[in-house]
């Protein structure tokens, strides 16, 4: 099959029917135990021509040392893994040569590879190298050191020109994170390689067969020949180490100047983490025992990596949990998401590293901390997130280049390229969001990462490897530092914490509301009790006292008459108290019926009522401003307000220096800053400043005026009425003497 | 046939006594028939109806144990024998909705129990003048 632009990433590497020149491959059918495939180079490796061994029984090709192991390997759970390599002698030409035989099972076949064995590699030296490498790796503590040291140890043990620790990122772009190389070689450390350099099917093979030797880039491979007994279908060679190399890859290595490459896959949690990538600039062969040892080192290395990463994760997890608990506690304590997230030592701005700012939107409140894009842009972003209907989007959203995918954030790439949002309600209207600045990231590629199209002589186009490995520096804009899985987990658990404490708060508010409702009902019951039951005994006292005075007055002496009068006065006072308290409770309950009310006639009406009650105020100088502007208020309550203010004036007015008692009802026109202020003013001594606030409290009466009638509830009622109309009432000592001023704005919400 | 009588349904002894005393101070006062609760008042009026001598006026306190004044009022106003008898409701409440409810139930008048005896006396005088003396001039159809 020709690999071209359309199928480049589907190139069937495992079906390449070639073997590398360093080994030969003999494939034995399990059912018949006869050779069904053989590579063309068998004669050079085992001294037998491929044509001669096809369809022959296995024992005619291999000696007893090899064939004896076949049933053993077939019956073992781990197959031939611990048996390989099997050492056996072969007669090649006139020589008896020791070879390593490696057997792997592939479905219904045994793949038997025969390759050279380094006779000089004594068992003790092998042991020594192995334990030195492993010891060194296991003693390492520092994360970064592990890579450099491992590279150095591997180079020392293997003698490769260059040993690199090559790590994949999420997109499988590779980066050389550490290396050890021979003198005079250009350093590759820090270079990146695009994911296309190691395509998906190649990465897949690394998981199956964790070591890959390309012994000699320039040695022509040997074809695999099939017996006429088997079909045309190509054989899957993935278990065989000597499997032929993709021409594209060979070309790639050739351009790099590499003649020999050995890679060991580092697998963490079932995923390809990276490679030990070793290059040699001249051909060389690496013995199967050393390859096994390298595999083992790779396992130790990934184990060490897992351990370190688990330790680090545990540590970070602990820190994160502490932060989450602290914030949760703060929210519960302050009963407020805004305070809880911002007041503690762990707070919204330091939960995640490198944030440019954060924002909280909860109910009607939106707050930004240090920095946030405009609220409307966030709202639009969330709208678009909701439209995409990602199953997780109702809980958390994260992106490290949000402006690229969501146009509301197109203009916020500098300060909010990264966004992390946790949603607090299903409508997505309440949320906590964090923003991360866009980073301009410099990536040094080992060659410009682009596809190379090679046009063959016949005009077909195919994908070729990069021809240039000159450094290519790319600057990537718009991405923030990524939100790690751990950070997203933290955000999720924080969300749960916030929602739980909010639920708690809601249930508390609900409970308080119910208590309040009950209290209001109690108050209504109390009002009724006051109006009915408390008055009955008073009526009795009053009635009997009157009857006593009327029917038996003549029989009582003067002292008794005075006592009767005092009883009478006490009862009257009690009655006014009851009336006023009842009035106050009425102000608080029921809805307001706001209308335009004419003030002048209302005041006039009240004043004539007052005149009837206080007949001795004939000489009063009374002035009602004729053109008082109408006022928007509940008529009944406004009447009560004026009644209380005017009756108050009647009660407390005193003559001025000229001996005249004056009373004035009016209004001052609105100014730029103030609405129309209505007032009731009378002559009399000014109210001392320390009392100007307290007079509006319940039962407060000026201590100097205890002789005057009044319950002290009147002004509390005035205050309550003004409050219900979103207004304000205050005392001044301008105009005639004492002035009560007020304004109402019933149309602004409370 | 009406006789010069006022039926008072009132559970409070003191209020009943005040009413009696206020009434007794009038010139040629009507006779007061005092019932302590709604049931007693119903029974009293039943007897009156049998004897064909109905009181000229009934005054019912609203807040009474058992059958309250309003329930009693509705019963009397739906009974052909008593529906034309003037009924005044009495209460210590001056809440507008209480007053309105009394009239809704068919009351002919509403009296807020005054806190001063003197006021009660004046009120009783007016009631007597309007409902007993004035009404006597006009025959009441049954």
């Amino acid at each position: 099959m020709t690999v071209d632009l359309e199928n480049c990433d589907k190139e069937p590497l495992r079906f390449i029917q070639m073997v590398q020149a360093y080994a030969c491959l003999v494939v034995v059918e399990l059912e018949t135990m006869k050779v069904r495939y053989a590579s063309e180079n068998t004669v050079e490796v085992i001294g037998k021509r491929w044509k001669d061994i096809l369809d022959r029984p296995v024992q005619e090709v291999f000696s007893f040392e090899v064939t004896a192991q076949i049933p053993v390997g077939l019956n073992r759970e781990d197959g031939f893994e611990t048996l390989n390599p099997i050492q056996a002698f072969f007669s090649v030409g006139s020589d008896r040569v020791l070879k390593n035989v490696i057997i792997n099972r592939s479905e219904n076949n045994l793949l038997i590879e025969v390759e050279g064995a380094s006779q000089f590699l004594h068992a003790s030296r092998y042991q020594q190298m192995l334990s030195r490498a492993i010891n060194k790796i296991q003693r390492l503590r520092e994360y970064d050191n592990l890579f450099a040291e491992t590279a150095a140890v591997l180079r020392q043990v293997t003698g490769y020109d260059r040993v690199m620790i090559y790590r994949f990122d999420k997109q499988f772009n590779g980066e050389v994170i550490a290396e050890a190389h021979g003198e005079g070689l250009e350093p590759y450390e820090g270079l990146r390689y695009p994911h296309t350099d190691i395509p998906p099917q190649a990465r897949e093979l690394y998981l199956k067969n964790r070591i890959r030797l390309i012994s000699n880039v320039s040695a022509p491979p040997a074809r695999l020949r099939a017996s006429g007994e088997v079909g045309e279908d190509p054989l899957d060679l993935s278990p065989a180490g000597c499997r032929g190399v993709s021409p594209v890859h060979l070309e790639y290595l050739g351009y790099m100047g590499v003649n020999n490459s050995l890679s060991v896959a580092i697998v963490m949690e079932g995923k390809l983490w990276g490679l030990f990538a070793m290059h040699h600039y001249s051909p060389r062969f690496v013995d199967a025992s050393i390859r096994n040892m390298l595999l083992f080192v790779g396992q130790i290395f990934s184990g060490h990596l897992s351990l370190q990463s688990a330790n680090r994760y545990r540590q970070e997890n602990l820190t994160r949990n502490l932060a989450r608990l602290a914030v949760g506690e703060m929210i519960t304590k302050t009963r407020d998401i805004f305070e809880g997230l911002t007041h503690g030592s762990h707070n919204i701005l330091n939960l995640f590293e490198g944030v440019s700012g954060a924002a909280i939107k909860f109910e009607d409140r939106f707050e930004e901390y240090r920095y946030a894009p405009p609220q409307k842009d966030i709202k639009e972003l969330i709208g678009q997130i909701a439209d995409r209907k990602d199953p997780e989007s109702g809980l958390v959203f994260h992106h490290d280049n949000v402006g690229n995918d969501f146009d509301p954030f197109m203009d916020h790439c500098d300060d909010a390229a990264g966004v992390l949002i946790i949603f607090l309600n299903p409508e997505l209207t309440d949320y906590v969001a964090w923003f991360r600045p866009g980073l301009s990231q410099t990536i040094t590629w080992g060659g410009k990462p682009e596809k190379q199209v090679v046009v063959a002589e016949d005009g077909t186009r195919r994908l070729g490897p990069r021809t240039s490995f000159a450094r290519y520096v790319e600057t990537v804009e718009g991405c923030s530092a990524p939100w790690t899985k751990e950070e997203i987990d933290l955000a999720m658990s924080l969300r749960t914490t916030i929602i739980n404490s909010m639920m708690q708060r809601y249930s508390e508010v609900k409970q308080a509301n119910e208590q309040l409702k009950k209290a209001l009902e109690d108050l209504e019951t109390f009002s009724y009790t006051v109006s009915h039951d408390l008055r009955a005994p008073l009526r009795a006292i009053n009635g009997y006292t009157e009857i006593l005075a009327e029917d038996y007055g003549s029989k009582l002496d003067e002292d008794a008459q005075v006592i009767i009068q005092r009883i009478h006065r006490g009862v009257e006072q009690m009655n006014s108290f009851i009336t006023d308290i009842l009035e106050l409770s009425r102000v608080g309950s029921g809805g307001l019926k706001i209308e335009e009310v004419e003030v002048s006639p209302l005041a006039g009406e009240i004043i004539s009522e007052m005149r009837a009650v206080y007949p001795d105020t004939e000489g009063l100088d009374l002035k009602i401003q004729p053109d008082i502007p109408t006022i928007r208020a509940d008529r009944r309550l406004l009447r009560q307000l004026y009644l209380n203010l005017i009756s108050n004036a009647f009660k407390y007015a005193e003559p001025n220096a000229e001996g005249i008692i004056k009373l004035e009802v009016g209004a001052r026109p609105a100014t730029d800053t103030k609405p129309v202020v209505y007032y009731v003013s009378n002559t009399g001594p000014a109210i001392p400043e320390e009392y100007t606030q307290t007079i509006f409290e319940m039962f407060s009466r000026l201590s100097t005026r205890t002789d005057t009638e009044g319950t002290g509830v009147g002004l509390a009622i005035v205050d309550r009425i003004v409050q219900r109309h979103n207004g304000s009432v205050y005392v001044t000592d301008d105009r005639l003497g004492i002035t009560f001023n007020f304004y109402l704005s019933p149309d602004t919400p409370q | 046939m009406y006789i010069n009588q006022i039926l008072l349904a009132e559970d409070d002894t003191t209020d009943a006594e005040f009413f009696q005393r206020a009434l007794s101070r009038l010139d040629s006062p009507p006779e007061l028939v005092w019932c302590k609760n709604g049931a007693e008042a119903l029974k009293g009026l039943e007897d009156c109806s049998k004897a064909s001598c109905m009181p000229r006026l009934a005054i019912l306190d609203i807040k009474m144990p058992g059958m309250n004044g309003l329930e009693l009022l509705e019963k009397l106003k739906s009974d052909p024998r008593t529906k034309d008898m003037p009924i005044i409701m009495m209460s210590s409440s001056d809440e507008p909705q209480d007053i309105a409810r009394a009239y809704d139930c068919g009351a002919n008048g509403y009296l807020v129990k005054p806190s001063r005896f003197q006021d009660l006396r004046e009120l009783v005088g007016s009631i007597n003048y309007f409902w007993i003396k004035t009404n006597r001039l006009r025959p009441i159809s049954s």
Side-chain angles (χ1 to χ4, degrees):
Chain A
M1 136 179 214
T2 312
V3 181
D4 56 27
L5 272 178
E6 275 65 48
N7 63 7
C8 61
D9 59 349
K10 294 183 185 71
E11 187 187 4
L13 301 175
R14 62 198 171 111
F15 292 112
I16 292 172
Q17 304 294 292
M18 296 274 191
V19 300
Q20 295 183 53
Y22 76 85
C24 74
L25 177 64
V26 174
V27 180
V28 173
E29 189 181 52
L30 273 174
E31 200 189 334
T32 58
M33 287 311 256
K34 283 180 177 166
V35 175
R36 294 304 190 196
Y37 299 84
S39 57
E40 286 176 342
N41 61 345
T42 47
V43 70
E44 289 106 69
V45 185
I46 59 173
K48 292 184 169 92
R49 292 193 308 175
W50 64 273
K51 284 179 186 164
D52 298 339
I53 60 172
L54 276 183
D55 297 325
R56 303 308 307 161
V58 66
Q59 54 270 39
E60 288 182 19
V61 182
F62 294 101
S63 60
F64 180 71
E65 297 107 297
V66 177
T67 51
Q69 300 294 347
I70 292 174
V72 180
L74 285 174
N75 286 319
R76 281 201 185 169
E77 241 175 65
D78 58 355
F80 295 89
E81 200 183 311
T82 49
L83 301 175
N84 288 332
I86 303 158
Q87 299 210 313
F89 283 94
F90 292 85
S91 306
V92 182
S94 54
D95 298 330
R96 289 277 293 165
V97 193
L98 184 69
K99 298 281 184 185
N100 277 334
V101 178
I102 299 157
I103 309 177
N104 283 292
R105 185 175 170 172
S106 170
E107 290 173 22
N108 306 317
N109 295 305
L110 288 176
L111 307 184
I112 305 176
E113 297 168 72
V114 185
E115 60 177 52
S118 313
Q119 276 173 298
F120 57 84
L121 191 81
H122 298 297
S124 62
R125 175 152 159 68
Y126 163 81
Q127 278 290 335
Q128 199 189 342
M129 279 164 61
L130 180 65
S131 57
R132 204 167 68 198
I134 291 167
N135 269 339
K136 201 145 190 184
I137 291 171
Q138 280 186 326
R139 273 203 314 273
L140 296 176
R141 285 279 171 264
E142 280 297 308
Y143 199 69
D144 285 336
N145 249 349
L146 172 68
F147 305 138
E149 290 292 336
T150 306
V153 169
L154 285 174
R155 181 160 185 268
Q156 208 176 356
V157 172
T158 61
Y160 261 85
D161 287 338
R162 186 192 298 278
V163 175
M164 294 172 281
I165 312 287
Y166 187 88
R167 184 174 61 189
F168 293 109
D169 68 12
K170 266 188 206 152
Q171 287 79 40
F172 287 102
N173 295 313
E175 183 185 359
V176 178
I177 56 169
E179 73 168 337
H181 57 78
E183 267 180 49
L185 291 177
E186 184 199 358
Y188 283 179
E189 190 170 337
L191 290 187
R192 303 256 193 147
Y193 296 87
H195 58 94
T196 48
D197 278 13
I198 302 174
Q201 71 275 32
R203 297 196 294 266
E204 191 66 28
L205 283 170
Y206 271 125
L207 290 175
K208 278 190 186 164
N209 202 340
R210 298 195 178 175
I211 191 157
R212 176 71 168 147
L213 172 68
I214 296 168
S215 185
N216 185 348
V217 167
S218 44
R223 278 177 63 197
L224 188 69
R225 307 301 292 241
S227 107
E229 302 290 312
V230 296
E232 298 275 300
D233 287 346
L235 190 64
D236 178 2
L237 296 185
S238 55
C242 66
R243 173 172 54 81
V245 185
S246 148
V248 179
H249 190 57
L250 286 175
E251 230 176 306
Y252 176 86
L253 291 173
Y255 289 134
M256 259 188 170
V258 172
N259 202 284
N260 173 297
S261 138
L262 178 64
S263 315
V264 179
I266 309 299
V267 177
M268 274 228 314
E269 291 164 0
K271 284 190 190 131
L272 193 59
W273 176 90
L275 301 170
F276 293 155
M278 310 187 206
H279 287 170
H280 208 68
Y281 294 93
S282 52
R284 74 197 309 252
F285 174 68
V286 179
D287 184 273
S289 307
I290 300 185
R291 299 208 306 270
N292 273 353
M293 179 199 83
L294 288 172
L295 259 180
F296 188 54
V297 173
Q299 276 166 9
I300 296 283
F301 179 84
S302 57
H304 206 72
L305 220 53
S306 301
L307 193 70
Q308 277 193 343
S309 123
N311 277 342
R312 208 166 34 138
Y313 181 79
R314 201 165 44 237
Q315 190 56 46
E316 284 172 0
N317 207 27
L318 192 72
T319 318
R320 275 194 303 274
N321 269 335
L322 284 176
R324 183 179 57 80
L325 284 177
V327 170
E329 218 168 87
M330 201 68 185
I331 293 173
T332 313
K333 201 172 102 191
T334 58
R335 294 155 177 280
D336 183 292
I337 168 173
F338 293 94
E339 280 199 29
L341 276 174
T342 54
H343 278 50
S345 55
H346 292 285
N347 60 53
I348 193 165
L349 288 174
N350 65 17
L351 279 172
F352 302 107
E353 270 177 37
V355 297
S356 50
I360 305 173
K361 161 74 173 50
F362 188 66
E363 290 170 349
D364 294 332
R365 196 171 153 199
F366 174 86
E367 293 286 343
E368 65 169 78
Y369 300 96
R370 200 188 303 145
Y371 160 80
Q375 192 188 352
K376 72 166 180 36
D377 291 354
I378 303 178
K379 198 178 162 191
E380 272 177 42
L381 169 69
I382 291 172
Q384 294 190 4
I385 294 169
D387 289 344
R388 299 200 181 182
K389 295 202 168 65
D390 187 336
E392 259 206 350
S393 67
L395 312 174
V396 67
F397 169 82
H398 58 89
H399 204 301
D400 56 18
N401 190 2
V402 73
N404 202 34
D405 282 358
F406 296 87
D407 46 297
F409 267 50
M410 225 159 52
D411 297 331
H412 305 306
C413 286
D414 287 348
D415 293 310
V419 174
L420 172 64
I421 307 176
I422 50 177
F423 297 106
L424 306 179
N425 61 351
E427 298 79 31
L428 313 188
T429 50
D430 290 343
Y431 54 82
V432 183
W434 290 267
F435 309 102
R436 260 181 186 162
L439 304 174
S440 69
Q441 207 178 352
T442 307
I443 299 173
T444 309
W445 297 100
K448 198 169 178 178
E450 57 187 10
K451 290 178 178 177
Q452 198 83 26
V453 179
V454 181
V455 183
E457 281 170 29
D458 63 357
T460 55
R461 284 143 39 98
R462 68 175 179 87
L463 187 72
R466 298 197 309 274
T467 49
S468 162
F469 290 87
R471 284 163 188 255
Y472 171 80
V473 178
E474 187 189 12
T475 309
V476 180
E477 307 264 6
C479 274
S480 73
W483 302 100
T484 64
K485 182 181 173 296
E486 292 73 28
E487 286 174 325
I488 293 156
D489 286 350
L490 170 61
M492 284 294 276
S493 60
L494 194 65
R495 176 182 172 273
T496 313
T497 307
I498 293 172
I499 288 175
N500 284 346
S501 57
M502 276 175 357
M503 298 267 279
Q504 198 184 338
R505 204 190 69 163
Y506 270 129
S507 74
E508 278 167 7
V509 168
K510 206 176 145 206
Q511 211 177 342
N513 267 339
E514 275 161 13
Q515 281 169 358
L516 210 61
K517 209 173 138 199
K518 175 81 173 51
L520 267 175
E521 280 166 10
D522 287 353
L523 194 69
E524 274 169 25
T525 315
F526 174 73
S527 302
Y528 189 78
T529 310
V530 164
S531 70
H532 196 279
D533 296 351
L534 285 190
R535 277 183 167 165
L538 275 180
R539 247 187 346 260
I541 298 167
N542 212 14
Y544 285 122
T545 315
E546 278 183 55
I547 291 164
L548 187 65
E550 274 185 29
D551 294 2
Y552 304 97
S554 54
K555 294 180 188 167
L556 297 172
D557 60 18
E558 207 176 312
D559 199 22
Q561 303 264 8
V562 171
I563 289 172
I564 286 175
Q565 271 173 29
R566 284 189 183 157
I567 295 172
H568 197 71
R569 207 157 61 208
V571 171
E572 290 288 305
Q573 213 168 358
M574 187 76 190
N575 249 327
S576 335
F577 264 123
I578 292 170
T579 309
D580 285 354
I581 290 173
L582 207 60
E583 209 52 66
L584 184 66
S585 76
R586 275 177 188 159
V587 171
S589 61
L592 296 186
K593 201 178 137 225
I594 304 297
E595 56 186 311
E596 294 284 341
V597 184
E598 296 266 5
V599 176
S600 308
L602 180 72
E605 190 186 306
I606 292 168
I607 284 173
S608 36
E609 275 176 32
M610 284 295 142
R611 277 191 185 282
V613 180
Y614 298 88
D616 54 337
T617 50
E618 282 298 324
L620 192 73
D621 178 4
L622 243 167
K623 200 175 125 196
I624 299 174
Q625 205 179 300
D627 52 348
I628 301 176
T630 59
I631 185 167
R632 285 183 59 72
D634 180 288
R635 180 183 290 276
R636 190 177 64 89
L637 293 185
L638 187 71
R639 189 175 199 289
Q640 184 74 46
L641 187 156
Y642 268 109
L643 182 71
N644 288 16
L645 285 182
I646 292 172
S647 72
N648 207 59
F650 267 90
K651 275 181 217 160
Y652 297 108
E654 283 181 14
N656 61 8
E658 289 114 52
I660 307 165
I661 296 179
K662 289 186 177 180
L663 200 159
E664 193 180 313
V665 179
R668 280 190 300 276
T671 65
D672 288 347
T673 51
K674 269 192 168 175
V676 181
V677 174
Y678 299 82
Y679 64 84
V680 174
S681 190
N682 60 271
T683 51
I687 292 171
E689 206 176 321
E690 62 262 39
Y691 294 116
T692 52
Q693 274 314 305
T694 51
I695 52 163
F696 293 108
E697 287 166 15
M698 188 82 136
F699 303 121
S700 107
R701 296 177 65 210
L702 299 188
S703 52
T704 53
R705 306 288 303 266
T706 42
D707 55 322
T708 322
E709 61 186 302
T711 58
V713 182
L715 287 178
I717 294 174
V718 168
D719 189 43
R720 190 76 193 94
I721 292 173
V722 168
Q723 273 176 29
R724 286 217 65 193
H725 288 80
N726 288 320
S728 182
V729 59
Y730 53 97
V731 195
T732 50
D733 54 6
D734 55 354
R735 304 192 80 84
L736 305 178
I738 309 164
T739 305
F740 283 89
N741 311 272
F742 72 90
Y743 58 84
L744 309 179
S745 56
D747 301 318
T748 49
Q750 277 184 340
Chain B
M1 185 195 140
Y2 290 109
I3 57 166
N4 199 20
Q5 242 181 19
I6 293 179
L7 178 126
L8 173 70
E10 168 65 86
D11 63 311
D12 188 309
T13 318
T14 311
D15 281 345
E17 187 187 337
F18 284 161
F19 202 90
Q20 170 67 68
R21 281 179 182 269
L23 203 62
S24 65
R25 296 190 184 208
L26 302 177
D27 298 333
S28 61
E31 189 192 340
L32 186 77
V33 180
W34 174 33
C35 306
K36 280 187 137 159
N37 54 49
E40 212 175 282
L42 270 184
K43 194 178 170 299
L45 286 170
E46 189 88 6
D47 293 345
C48 291
S49 172
K50 278 179 193 156
S52 282
C53 49
M54 294 295 283
R56 288 196 177 276
L57 177 69
I59 296 180
L60 314 179
D61 183 28
I62 290 182
K63 198 188 164 208
M64 286 190 294
M67 187 194 302
N68 72 32
L70 292 176
E71 287 164 348
L72 179 58
L73 170 67
E74 282 184 321
K75 278 205 163 65
L76 296 180
K77 285 297 177 187
S78 58
D79 187 328
R81 293 170 298 176
T82 49
K83 76 177 170 57
D84 293 321
M85 178 177 62
I87 299 176
I88 292 177
M89 301 309 291
M90 188 167 69
S91 168
S92 50
S93 165
D94 59 352
E95 296 287 338
Q97 65 265 33
D98 289 343
I99 298 172
R101 190 151 17 137
Y103 281 111
D104 285 348
C105 295
N108 302 86
Y110 188 96
L111 186 157
V112 181
K113 288 179 183 175
S115 58
R116 293 156 57 107
F117 180 67
Q118 204 186 325
D119 296 343
L120 179 68
R121 231 169 48 193
E122 283 167 14
L123 262 173
V124 167
S126 321
I127 287 169
N128 181 58
Y129 185 78
F130 183 77
W131 291 106
I132 312 286
K133 289 191 174 162
T134 316
N135 265 347
R136 194 187 287 184
L137 300 174
R138 293 184 261 146
I140 294 170
S141 59
S142 54

